[in-house]
Amino acid sequence: MTFDILIVLMFLGAVTAYLVSKADLKAGAYATVLFSLGALVLLLLGRGEIGSEFTILFMGFEVTTIGWYFSGVMVLVYAMTAFFNSYWMDKMIYPGSYNFLYLFSLGGTVGLFFAKDLITLFIFWEIVVWSSTFIVPMGKSRRAAVVYYTISTIGSMATLYGIMLLHRISGTLDIQGAFAPLKNDPVLATVIFFIFIMAGLTKIGIFPFHIWLPLAHGSAPHTFSPVLSGGLVKMGAFIAYMSVGILPAYEAFKGSLTVMGIPIQIYALMILGAVSIVLGTLMAIKQDDAKKLIAYSSVANGGYILIGILLMDQLAFAGSMMHLFNHAIASAAAFLAIAVVAHRTGTTKISELGGMIHRMPLTYLTYLIAIISLAGIPPMGGFVSKWLIIQGLADQGLMFMALAAFFGSIGSFLYVFRPLAAVFLGQLAPRHEELASAPLLMKIPMTILMVLILFFGVLPGWILGIIGQIQVAAGIEPVMMSGNSILAVNGVLNTLNVFMVFGFGFLIALVIFMLMQKSRRVGLMDTYTSAEFIYTPELYHYGSAFYAPFERLYARHPSVEDFLMALAYKGHEAGLMVNALFFSHKPGVTVFWITVIVAVVTLGGVGL
């Protein structure tokens, strides 16, 4: 069997990488590259084994199409990010542990997607949670790890309770068998649905559980942020699929109240997805840290994925599955581009950067293509998946959801342009004049991801064919295609024609650029300043308060983070009070409680 070798290989690889790191840090980092690439090769070679089952120790596994698809997304992101690991070994406190946990978490994700029973699912879920929890504080902040673990624990405890409840109801731990009885019991189905979807919401970062994303993504090591955003949040999408696809929710909720033909239980969660799209977009616009900006973009894109999965229809579901892949590779590429900038400059602050295109042209191109895809602009892959989701929403008459999705796409134009203009374009600071471009090992994964983003935007047929198999297994009619055209109720999308139109426009612009008179390059201080004295060339750089007029429109918005922080502060105060009352070393407190106890006993005796 290919897949049992794959899972065992990852855990053996984790131990090997740790031991090798003790001898040579660089060699340990290269081990993560070799083992993750090996996992990718094994996964691709093992596609013919879909439908098979195997066991490792007491744990049961089943190779399904959707499990293979999710694993492919995850392993690809891990493999591409691993190329960057060697450049951060000297910056980490525990580099050997990082290499171990990196592959250990990868093994956990693969095992989770192939789990046949609920106990195996929970074991591998916890492997991923714990290993990633220990990696996050290796970056900037331990507080980020605490928030990340706290939110993850909510999902873990919800999953564990749901497993125990399912076993009590069905008498089995087999995933398919445990969910089957719920289709005839809408009350229990509703309870189980919300319990399991809770785990999905916490991991994918849907409002109001989104607060860990900007903290963890912004604080984690630069080599792990792409994995968090492009990979691990997709575990939440997998649990969301289980909650509506395997449950099966629509069949169980037939007699429930409906909104626009959607059961109220599912529609309520779709609203959370729509809120996440709007909130993530607005918060991304105002970020000055490039990593936090991409993290809030992940919140918005998680909303797209959740809505499409919950709708479980022909177009939107296919769009969400494709967007899951497109977002994974695009966010990974964007994070890797920012990691290159951070590696050379030591910062990810947008207002402290500028002109990186002059020193890092390939990194600029990587970020440009990635961010275009995240914004859903043709001819990149993100455009195809967002088009499918919006088509599905419009076809179902869900105009509120479609409006939120459209707002997210339009708003994303703003936040994608900010780092593009302020980090890569604009003036190059004098302190960055001598910067070198990205090392060769960093250029390899960025180039591969760029090609994949463009390829699946122009020729999405292969990936939609795999998604079609997932749809058939879930009882959904696959997306219909005719050549390179995707057929929908409200229109037809020929991705190759779109690419040719954009390519023709690019050629015209290139010809005009080549024929027109070239501009003369001058020094930063060689300009007329309207009688104003220029102290430093940095004053010309327009990076901070980039969208200040627009941001003022929602500057006083309610904040979930502030509410939770206030709640945590009150909890801390209550803890201090309890500690002062019951665990004080002061004699006066001891005397007080002795007096209270004697009085209670005495009065109790009198009452009797």
Side-chain angles (χ1 to χ4, degrees):
M1 289 292 294
T2 302
F3 292 100
D4 54 354
I5 296 173
L6 170 60
I7 295 174
V8 172
L9 179 68
M10 288 302 96
F11 292 118
L12 290 178
V15 176
T16 303
Y18 178 78
L19 295 176
V20 173
S21 298
K22 290 300 182 181
D24 187 285
L25 291 181
K26 292 282 187 179
Y30 294 145
T32 64
V33 180
L34 293 176
F35 279 105
S36 55
L37 284 176
L40 184 59
V41 171
L42 285 174
L43 198 70
L44 293 174
L45 292 176
R47 188 184 172 191
E49 298 180 17
I50 291 176
S52 61
E53 298 180 10
F54 61 96
T55 58
I56 300 176
L57 300 177
F58 60 90
M59 297 172 291
F61 301 89
E62 181 181 11
V63 183
T64 60
T65 303
I66 192 167
W68 183 86
Y69 180 73
F70 270 81
S71 296
V73 173
M74 197 73 67
V75 174
L76 176 63
V77 172
Y78 268 88
M80 295 299 100
T81 306
F83 282 87
F84 277 56
N85 285 343
S86 62
Y87 297 98
W88 265 266
M89 288 296 99
D90 57 343
K91 298 180 177 65
M92 293 186 182
I93 303 175
Y94 308 108
S97 299
Y98 175 84
N99 291 331
F100 170 82
L101 293 169
Y102 188 86
L103 292 176
F104 201 69
S105 62
L106 175 55
T109 60
V110 175
L112 184 148
F113 295 136
F114 291 145
K116 187 177 188 298
D117 61 81
L118 293 167
I119 291 298
T120 302
L121 177 81
F122 183 74
I123 289 172
F124 282 91
W125 177 279
E126 287 302 290
I127 286 174
V128 178
V129 168
W130 280 98
S131 52
S132 55
T133 297
F134 286 122
I135 289 178
V136 169
M138 293 183 184
K140 300 178 184 177
S141 169
R142 293 191 175 187
R143 176 176 172 268
V146 173
V147 175
Y148 171 69
Y149 178 70
T150 302
I151 299 297
S152 295
T153 300
I154 295 173
S156 298
M157 292 301 101
T159 304
L160 181 60
Y161 181 75
I163 290 171
M164 292 188 294
L165 188 57
L166 273 175
H167 182 261
R168 182 178 179 182
I169 295 167
S170 64
T172 180
L173 290 172
D174 181 81
I175 293 177
Q176 297 288 343
F179 282 107
L182 298 177
K183 62 184 178 181
N184 299 318
D185 193 333
V187 176
L188 276 176
T190 300
V191 173
I192 293 295
F193 172 74
F194 279 107
I195 288 175
F196 269 91
I197 204 71
M198 181 76 69
L201 299 183
T202 57
K203 185 55 68 176
I204 202 172
I206 296 298
F207 175 88
F209 302 108
H210 67 285
I211 60 172
W212 70 266
L213 265 82
L215 284 173
H217 289 48
S219 301
H222 297 310
T223 52
F224 198 67
S225 292
V227 170
L228 276 174
S229 179
L232 297 188
V233 297
K234 305 307 183 288
M235 291 166 53
F238 185 75
I239 298 299
Y241 168 77
M242 287 180 57
S243 302
V244 289
I246 301 177
L247 188 81
Y250 276 89
E251 189 175 353
F253 300 151
K254 276 183 179 178
S256 302
L257 178 68
T258 62
V259 180
M260 305 294 293
I262 308 295
I264 186 67
Q265 299 95 325
I266 296 174
Y267 190 82
L269 293 172
M270 291 177 69
I271 289 178
L272 291 183
V275 171
S276 297
I277 293 173
V278 176
L279 175 69
T281 300
L282 293 177
M283 293 303 294
I285 289 171
K286 62 191 295 186
Q287 298 306 310
D288 186 46
D289 188 295
K291 288 179 68 176
K292 287 188 176 181
L293 184 149
I294 304 172
Y296 275 113
S297 168
S298 296
V299 175
N301 283 281
Y304 284 99
I305 295 169
L306 180 68
I307 287 176
I309 290 175
L310 291 176
L311 195 54
M312 289 292 285
D313 78 327
Q314 182 188 40
L315 296 173
F317 181 83
S320 69
M321 287 291 107
M322 187 178 182
H323 198 63
L324 184 142
F325 174 80
N326 288 332
H327 174 257
I329 60 175
S331 64
F335 269 117
L336 291 180
I338 297 301
V340 174
V341 174
H343 176 64
R344 293 304 191 194
T345 65
T347 182
T348 58
K349 292 288 186 182
I350 295 174
S351 55
E352 297 175 1
L353 297 166
M356 292 294 112
I357 186 176
H358 302 296
R359 297 293 175 266
M360 307 173 183
L362 181 67
T363 304
Y364 160 76
L365 187 61
T366 301
Y367 184 83
L368 175 65
I369 290 177
I371 214 72
I372 285 176
S373 183
L374 289 176
I377 302 173
M380 306 306 166
F383 165 71
V384 180
S385 50
K386 283 189 176 182
W387 183 86
L388 284 168
I389 292 171
I390 293 175
Q391 282 286 328
L393 293 172
D395 182 43
Q396 296 290 330
L398 300 170
M399 300 315 297
F400 172 74
M401 306 295 174
L403 181 62
F406 186 71
F407 174 85
S409 293
I410 298 301
S412 62
F413 294 170
L414 298 179
Y415 70 68
V416 302
F417 182 72
R418 180 171 187 166
L420 193 68
V423 173
F424 292 99
L425 302 179
Q427 74 179 60
L428 182 68
R431 65 182 180 277
H432 295 152
E433 284 288 349
E434 303 302 321
L435 287 182
S437 62
L440 176 62
L441 208 59
M442 289 185 175
K443 292 178 180 178
I444 293 173
M446 290 195 296
T447 303
I448 292 173
L449 291 173
M450 276 195 297
V451 171
L452 290 177
I453 292 169
L454 182 59
F455 176 82
F456 288 112
V458 179
L459 301 171
W462 182 80
I463 194 168
L464 285 175
I466 298 174
I467 292 171
Q469 296 175 27
I470 297 173
Q471 289 180 287
V472 170
I476 306 171
E477 185 180 352
V479 171
M480 297 184 65
M481 294 194 65
S482 176
N484 292 311
S485 298
I486 302 173
L487 308 181
V489 176
N490 300 307
V492 176
L493 174 64
N494 188 307
T495 52
L496 186 58
N497 287 347
V498 171
F499 172 72
M500 292 176 65
V501 169
F502 272 78
F504 183 68
F506 175 78
L507 288 176
I508 292 176
L510 181 62
V511 170
I512 293 174
F513 174 77
M514 297 298 293
L515 294 178
M516 294 294 289
Q517 183 178 358
K518 303 299 183 292
S519 58
R520 179 175 64 90
R521 183 165 184 169
V522 298
L524 293 175
M525 306 298 287
D526 183 10
T527 183
Y528 180 65
T529 60
S530 301
E532 294 180 5
F533 187 77
I534 302 299
Y535 294 91
T536 63
E538 282 82 358
L539 292 178
Y540 277 120
H541 185 58
Y542 180 49
S544 58
F546 202 83
Y547 291 119
F550 181 74
E551 291 173 28
R552 282 197 291 267
L553 297 176
Y554 59 98
R556 299 182 181 275
H557 64 87
S559 172
V560 175
E561 290 90 337
D562 292 344
F563 171 76
L564 293 176
M565 287 300 297
L567 200 62
Y569 181 72
K570 294 300 180 184
H572 180 66
E573 285 185 328
L576 292 176
M577 183 181 69
V578 171
N579 184 66
L581 289 175
F582 296 101
F583 301 100
S584 175
H585 297 287
K586 296 179 180 179
V589 175
T590 304
V591 172
F592 169 76
W593 282 113
I594 291 173
T595 304
V596 170
I597 292 170
V598 170
V600 169
V601 171
T602 302
L603 292 175
V606 172
L608 291 172

